[in-house]
Amino acid sequence: MAFTIPTNLEGEIDELITHYPVKRAASLMVLHAIQEHFGWISQEAVEWTAKKLDLQPINVYELVTFYPMLRQQPMGKYQIKGVSDVELRVGRRV
């Protein structure tokens, strides 16, 4: 099954790109728009984004793997976040 972007999302992405002096600068915003629509960023989405921005897929993949807010898998029904004891103690001193 081929990866396709809905026409309205592609139009939104094209409009986003116009706000940046070079296409590469729009990378994070494009990835954010894709994740907002699909809920995560697949390998096909990485390749599509790279092609759209005239980049190599590795350039986009670096962003996806670096930023923790970009998900490479669909998010589960529940999300659990933890806080360590050290973070709690530091928070009290501030």
Side-chain angles (χ1 to χ4, degrees), residues 2-92:
F3 179 76
T4 57
I5 294 280
T7 308
N8 62 333
L9 179 58
E10 187 163 7
E12 179 185 329
I13 289 170
D14 289 338
E15 207 274 322
L16 276 172
I17 293 170
T18 65
H19 294 275
Y20 295 89
V22 291
K23 287 183 177 183
R24 182 183 191 122
S27 299
L28 279 176
M29 294 307 295
V30 170
L31 290 169
H32 178 71
I34 290 171
Q35 180 170 282
E36 189 173 297
H37 181 81
F38 293 104
W40 64 296
I41 300 169
S42 66
Q43 183 61 38
E44 293 83 8
V46 168
E47 292 169 8
W48 183 90
T49 303
K51 186 175 180 181
K52 184 76 171 175
L53 299 176
D54 299 326
L55 299 170
Q56 294 296 315
I58 188 65
N59 301 128
V60 178
Y61 186 70
E62 288 170 338
L63 294 173
V64 173
T65 58
F66 181 77
Y67 290 102
M69 76 261 191
L70 298 175
R71 293 185 295 277
Q72 298 175 63
Q73 300 175 8
M75 190 164 55
K77 184 176 179 179
Y78 300 104
Q79 185 177 14
I80 299 172
K81 293 184 178 182
V83 179
S84 75
D85 186 44
V86 172
E87 291 170 334
L88 291 174
R89 282 192 245 162
V90 170
R92 284 188 212 137

